[in-house]
Structure formats: structure tokens, C-alpha cells
Amino acid sequence: MLQRELTREQVKQLGEQVLANMEAAIVERGYGYFSDGFVFNIRVEQNKLVSDVQGSQVYHVTIDLGSFASSSCTCPYARLCKHIAATFFQAYSVFENPRAFMNKLHEPRPLAFTSSILAPAYKSNPRARKNLAQPTVGGAALAPESSIGEWWQFLTKWTRNLPAAMEASRASTELFSSYENALGIASSWPDDLAQLFSVHATLFHLHLLQAFATDYRHSQWTGDLTQTAERLVEYLEGTLYDLDAERLWRDRRSHLQASYEKLKNWKHQDVTHLYGLLAYRLIWTELLTQPGWVDEELEALESCLRDPALPAAKREQYAWLRGHFSVLRREDDEALRVWLRSVRLPLSFYMPYLKEFARNQEWQRCLAWINRIGPLIGRSEASEYRLVSAIWREALISLNRMDEYGAGLKRFLPASYHDYAAHLYQQGEYRAWIDLQMTFQGLPLGAADQPKRERAIEEKEPHLLIPMLVRDINRLIEERNRTGYREAVKLLKKVRACFQKSNQQERWEQYIDRLAAKYSRLRAFQEELRRGNLHL
């Protein structure tokens, strides 16, 4: 019984770790798994909470009660996953109401920096499909001793009907099903060879997806196709991250040479979509690392760029790819100069570099890049902002430069709105805090302690709150309904208290007289004023 193995305090502390270390979307999915009853065999063993969770198969979860970031699951997802969240909710429900926890989930909070947030999203597991029947083409299976060329020939035959199936049905589902089944081809091969095959299978399907988007969708990427491309790149990153490069160089040199011959032409494909660019970066960072190959690729790109007849779109593509080698040579300014000229490259394009710098603890380099791409950070989505800001905070701490924190948050607005508001309040910069609320009035406040902050400011500098309260009062009155009038009257009482605490009773009387006169035709509003004893 968990009541005997855990304490309420342990579960609450675990909840704080979930909020600090996990993305809201992942936690929500875990709550769904818990609600559907997919968690079983839950127990505590040696200060670890373990369970089995039913997903596409049964996964084994281990939550480390002493170090939550070290928790693990046997599913393909490499970070803290929905199965871990589901197990947490199963334990939490013994002591607290999980719905109450869900109310806290979407409150703004910084992401804790741990090594796990730098890991690829998916982990390589060449044995995961070992029990599946090996895929065949025309009854023939692919042998472990087959060549790289034979791999691609097999995959071409394997997917010959796939584009038509993608057009007739849900394209993303058909393609990813083909991809996952293709990985079963190498499920019984040696791990290093199976991982290398996984690299090629991933690139093959990514190329096929690009071709489908061009041929069948007139180059328009739907949401489903984009998510599939993103997931393929994440699997590629995970495979390359776990690749035993030393063993490959020792035992599979001919395979690596053949991989180079096959993949060096990747630059000529249409990789203008972000995921093609990311795949190219991964290939040349993790797989094709021979200095001679790198020099040849760099010369090939520069030769392309010297062609005066090169179309503008291709010139931009080759310049983007050339920038990657500038980074490898630590010529960061040259790469950023080229990349930042384009408005087409989002923050996610730069994230692999920032994560790599953080893994190597190159904090000075991290800060230099973050300062250059500040506007992109300010316009980023919440999940991207949380990740880059976690890296940025760790860099500031490591370099003893936390005095730059406030100025940096201001530079990252509006994405940093909630963090900056919390910082200003903690520093007692109440006027700047009010100005921020007024400037970004379209953004939800989000913080559960917002009323507490306003009460604290009201006690210390009540006059600062008046403009913000007046703004909200005007907005409520303009809604032209009884509910809005009642809420406006509540705020008017706060305004009156602020004027009184500021010894500005006369200004209050002038304000309420003008307000009542301005809206004299709104009978319902006048009634609410009288009920609140605010005006005759």
C-alpha cells in the first residue's frame, strides 16, 4: 500500500519536481493515461517509485524519489515522459486530488536546468522490434552483410506504393508506419549496424516526405506532415547521439565510406525546409566526421557558391549549409552573419547548437549566441523559450553574471513576460512591474500569486496601482453587461482605497464624479455604483 510506503510530504515534493522539470503537454498526456487506468503494479523499491504503464506496449517506469531528473522509462522517449507523469499521478491520487494539481500546471514557471533537457527527445533502441517478423520485399529479406546501396534499393522497393497510400489516406500515419516497420529489418543485426541502418532509414523517409510534400501538396506542409518531419529528425538525433562511432570506425569502415558517398549529395536536395537543414547538420556533426570528408564537403559547397548562374534560392541554401562548417571551425560570427540575414530561420534552427554548447559547458559561447538571437527568443513559443532560458540562466550562473538577468529578460520580451514580471516584483521594482502590465495588457497574467503581489504594492506604493486598475475598470464597463459592471465596482473600491492610502481623497472624488458622468446613460452601471455606495 502506497500510504505505508510514501508520505504526503514526499508526494508533494515530487509534484514540485514534476512542475519544474516537465513540459505541461507531457504532464497532460500522463494525466490522461492515469485517468484511463493504464498504470498498474505501482510500488516503492529502494527509494524508487516503480510501475508498469500500458502504452503501445507495456513500459516499465522508475521514478527516483531522491533525484527526479534521473527517473527513467523503457519507452522510446528519452526525456521525462507521459508514462512517468502517469505514475506520478497514480501516487499523488492516494494523498491529494490530481485535478487540483492540474490547476497549477499551466501557471508560468521556469524550467529547471538538468542534463536531461539537453538529451535528444528519443533514444535509440535497435532491439525494440526484435520480436516482429522481419519485413521482406518479394519474399526476400535484407541480410546483415548487405551494402549501403542495397539498403537504399530495398527501401525504395519497400516504399514503392507508399506515396499513393499517403495520398489516399492520412499521409503522416502511413509514412511513419512504413518507417517504424522498416526499422524491423535490422532488429536482429549487431547493434552498431542496426543503428547505422536506422540513420539511413530515417533519412530515406525524411527525403520521401519532402518529395511527397512537393509532388502532392504543392510544397505546402500541413501540420501533420510537419510533426512527422520533426519526429523523424528527433529519431535521427537520438540514433546519432547513441551511435558507437569508435566501433563503427573500427569494424564498419567500408559502411561509413559508403555512407559518405551516399549522403554527401544530401546538400543538393531541396532542404529549404527546416528539417532538411537540421538533418544535414546532424549528419556532418555526428557521422561524417573524417577531416578529409569535411574538407571535401566544404570545398564542394564553396564551389557551388562560386557559380554565377546559381539560382538565388539555391545560393541561400548552400550559404546556410556552409554556415554549419563555420561553426565547426568556431567561426561563429561568420555563420550567424549569414543565418540572421534570413527571417525564415526560427529559433529551433539554432537550438541544436545551444544544446551542444551547453553539453560541453561552453557557457561564454552560449551567451554570445543568445545575445545575437535575442529577438528570435522574444518571439518564440513557450516551450522553446523555457528551454533556451534554462540554458541561459545556467550560463549566467556558471559565469557569475546573474547581474545581467533582469536586462536579459527585458530583451527577451514578450516571451519572457512572466519571468520578467516575477523578477521585477522580487526586486521591488514596482513601477517597472506596473509599466510591464500596462504595456503587455493583452497577455494573461497567469501567476496564481498576482492578487498577493497587487496587495503588497497597494500597501507600499498604492498610487502605482491606480492606472492599471482604471484600465481594467474601463474595459469592464465597455463590456456593457451587469456582470462587468459588478466587477468594475469591485475594482473601484480598490481604487478608492489606493487614493485614500495615498492621501488623495480629493482626486478620488473628482475621478468618481467624472466616471459617473461619463456613463450616466448606463442605468445598470449607475445602479451598481449606488449599491456599492460609491456615488449618489
Side-chain angles (χ1 to χ4, degrees):
M1 296 293 290
L2 289 180
Q3 292 95 330
R4 299 176 182 174
E5 299 173 321
L6 290 173
T7 66
R8 186 183 302 274
E9 186 60 31
Q10 279 181 303
V11 168
K12 285 185 175 180
Q13 290 177 358
L14 189 57
E16 291 302 315
Q17 291 296 308
V18 169
L19 291 173
N21 289 275
M22 297 189 70
E23 293 295 335
I26 299 295
V27 179
E28 285 179 340
R29 292 174 195 163
Y31 181 75
Y33 271 50
F34 154 72
S35 301
D36 290 338
F38 290 169
V39 183
F40 55 98
N41 293 339
I42 188 168
R43 61 205 180 276
V44 176
E45 295 179 353
Q46 299 178 343
N47 203 37
K48 291 179 172 61
L49 182 64
V50 299
S51 77
D52 295 311
V53 180
Q54 181 65 59
S56 54
Q57 63 187 63
V58 176
Y59 297 114
H60 185 67
V61 171
T62 302
I63 295 180
D64 192 325
L65 297 174
S67 176
F68 179 72
S70 302
S71 301
S72 63
C73 176
T74 57
C75 76
Y77 195 69
R79 301 170 189 162
L80 299 169
C81 65
K82 59 189 175 184
H83 310 107
I84 290 174
T87 300
F88 156 72
F89 279 117
Q90 189 71 35
Y92 192 83
S93 66
V94 175
F95 299 94
E96 302 286 345
N97 185 351
R99 291 184 180 179
F101 182 88
M102 291 297 289
N103 292 334
K104 300 179 183 178
L105 182 62
H106 293 286
E107 294 176 9
R109 64 191 188 282
L111 179 67
F113 180 86
T114 63
S115 59
S116 63
I117 69 172
L118 305 176
Y122 293 94
K123 51 200 172 193
S124 173
N125 186 357
R127 302 296 181 188
R129 295 166 180 81
K130 193 171 180 64
N131 296 325
L132 298 178
Q134 189 182 68
T136 62
V137 172
L142 198 61
E145 60 271 15
S146 55
S147 67
I148 299 293
E150 288 171 329
W151 291 1
W152 282 72
Q153 291 173 10
F154 186 96
L155 289 169
T156 299
K157 294 177 181 178
W158 167 264
T159 58
R160 63 184 179 274
N161 297 320
L162 181 58
M166 292 169 67
E167 177 68 9
S169 184
R170 187 174 178 181
S172 58
T173 301
E174 291 292 336
L175 183 129
F176 209 80
S177 176
S178 168
Y179 167 69
E180 290 193 309
N181 288 330
L183 295 184
I185 293 170
S187 60
S188 61
W189 296 4
D191 284 357
D192 61 330
L193 200 57
Q195 288 174 326
L196 186 59
F197 178 82
S198 177
V199 169
H200 285 269
T202 308
L203 290 170
F204 181 92
H205 282 81
L206 188 63
H207 171 61
L208 194 151
L209 180 59
Q210 172 71 57
F212 176 81
T214 302
D215 296 342
Y216 289 83
R217 301 295 184 188
H218 308 290
S219 299
Q220 297 300 310
W221 286 70
T222 65
D224 279 352
L225 293 182
T226 298
Q227 289 178 6
T228 302
E230 179 179 356
R231 195 170 176 190
L232 285 171
V233 172
E234 287 175 338
Y235 270 103
L236 177 64
E237 183 184 14
T239 303
L240 290 169
Y241 186 79
D242 293 331
L243 204 64
D244 189 343
E246 184 176 336
R247 181 179 176 186
L248 280 173
W249 276 110
R250 185 182 69 242
D251 301 337
R252 315 286 180 186
R253 185 175 293 271
S254 63
H255 281 78
L256 283 180
Q257 178 68 43
S259 295
Y260 165 65
E261 296 298 333
K262 187 71 180 179
L263 300 178
K264 69 180 181 181
N265 292 321
W266 187 267
K267 62 180 171 291
H268 299 306
Q269 300 181 29
D270 181 10
V271 295
T272 53
H273 196 276
L274 173 65
Y275 302 105
L277 294 170
L278 292 176
Y280 182 88
R281 182 203 75 87
L282 290 168
I283 292 168
W284 285 98
T285 300
E286 306 294 344
L287 184 65
L288 307 181
T289 55
Q290 270 284 74
W293 295 349
V294 171
D295 292 341
E296 286 181 22
E297 181 72 359
L298 188 54
E299 174 54 34
L301 284 169
E302 291 177 341
S303 176
C304 291
L305 288 168
R306 287 193 293 268
D307 181 1
L310 190 67
K314 275 294 184 183
R315 184 174 300 280
E316 182 179 51
Q317 173 180 317
Y318 291 140
W320 285 349
L321 300 180
R322 170 65 177 82
H324 175 66
F325 295 95
S326 296
V327 177
L328 293 184
R329 294 184 170 191
R330 304 187 73 85
E331 298 168 354
D332 297 356
D333 286 343
E334 175 63 22
L336 292 171
R337 181 184 63 81
V338 172
W339 291 340
L340 289 172
R341 281 203 304 251
S342 173
V343 297
R344 296 168 57 196
L345 297 179
L347 179 62
S348 55
F349 174 80
Y350 300 89
M351 284 305 304
Y353 297 102
L354 294 179
K355 291 196 301 185
E356 185 67 22
F357 300 156
R359 287 189 195 107
N360 298 331
Q361 298 188 7
E362 295 180 82
W363 300 121
Q364 191 67 50
R365 204 175 182 188
C366 267
L367 289 187
W369 277 58
I370 288 171
N371 287 335
R372 293 286 298 276
I373 63 175
L376 289 175
I377 298 171
R379 298 192 298 269
S380 63
E381 297 180 358
S383 59
E384 290 181 338
Y385 165 74
R386 292 185 76 225
L387 178 55
V388 73
S389 65
I391 293 172
W392 173 63
R393 282 196 312 275
E394 187 67 15
L396 290 177
I397 292 170
S398 299
L399 296 174
N400 196 28
R401 290 171 56 176
M402 278 300 286
D403 57 315
E404 301 174 19
Y405 183 65
L409 288 175
K410 186 175 182 179
R411 192 168 62 251
F412 301 151
L413 288 169
S416 63
Y417 169 74
H418 296 294
D419 287 345
Y420 189 42
H423 171 76
L424 291 174
Y425 178 79
Q426 291 165 3
Q427 296 298 311
E429 298 182 34
Y430 300 138
R431 184 177 295 278
W433 185 87
I434 294 292
D435 290 343
L436 184 69
Q437 314 300 317
M438 297 290 287
T439 302
F440 293 95
Q441 55 185 297
L443 294 177
L445 295 177
D449 59 351
Q450 183 76 12
K452 179 182 176 182
R453 292 177 182 178
E454 291 183 8
R455 287 195 298 271
I457 295 174
E458 182 181 343
E459 289 300 318
K460 295 176 181 178
E461 299 185 63
H463 64 283
L464 295 178
L465 278 179
I466 294 174
M468 189 172 73
L469 293 172
V470 167
R471 177 203 65 189
D472 293 339
I473 289 166
N474 292 335
R475 175 181 54 80
L476 289 166
I477 295 173
E478 290 302 326
E479 291 179 2
R480 294 293 199 269
N481 59 60
R482 181 74 71 166
T483 301
Y485 299 152
R486 288 171 181 165
E487 292 300 316
V489 166
K490 291 180 182 177
L491 293 184
L492 280 167
K493 291 180 178 179
K494 286 188 176 183
V495 171
R496 181 176 62 184
C498 288
F499 274 119
Q500 290 173 343
K501 290 177 181 178
S502 302
N503 296 317
Q504 298 183 52
Q505 181 64 27
E506 185 177 346
R507 286 191 61 193
W508 157 252
E509 292 173 356
Q510 292 171 353
Y511 166 69
I512 194 64
D513 286 344
R514 287 196 304 268
L515 188 70
K518 180 179 179 180
Y519 296 108
S520 60
R521 294 181 180 274
L522 300 180
R523 187 171 61 183
F525 177 59
Q526 296 295 328
E527 290 174 359
E528 293 301 325
L529 285 178
R530 288 192 291 272
R531 286 179 182 174
N533 295 320
L534 291 174
H535 199 260
L536 296 177

